[in-house]
Amino acid sequence: TQVFYIVCEPQKRIGRHVHSTEEVLLVLEGTAEVSVGDERARLSAGAIALTPAGVPHEPLNVGSDTLRCVGYL
């Protein structure tokens, strides 16, 4: 199990990556566009994204404020 905290400045991205387990991402502040496989969704504070194991994914800060998220693997 791993819990992590992400801070991402406006118009920056974390980088597309894959995990061997599913990931849950909770947006705490800001606005993210999260790509999971071929799907994209815009998420704001309080929204959750679920990424299945083995699926490429990436959060991008599409807002004008710092994006803050917490994730769980």
Side-chain angles (χ1 to χ4, degrees):
T1 301
Q2 180 181 14
V3 177
F4 52 92
Y5 181 67
I6 296 171
V7 177
C8 186
E9 296 305 318
Q11 304 309 310
K12 299 293 181 185
R13 57 183 70 239
I14 301 302
R16 197 158 176 84
H17 58 282
V18 176
H19 301 287
S20 60
T21 61
E22 79 176 9
E23 176 183 320
V24 177
L25 185 70
L26 169 63
V27 177
L28 301 174
E29 296 177 7
T31 305
E33 181 179 278
V34 178
S35 64
V36 177
D38 294 331
E39 297 182 32
R40 293 184 184 272
R42 190 168 283 222
L43 307 176
S44 56
I48 295 175
L50 175 65
T51 302
V55 176
H57 57 284
E58 174 181 38
L60 164 66
N61 184 347
V62 293
S64 57
D65 297 321
T66 301
L67 174 65
R68 298 179 193 282
C69 303
V70 66
Y72 175 83
L73 298 174

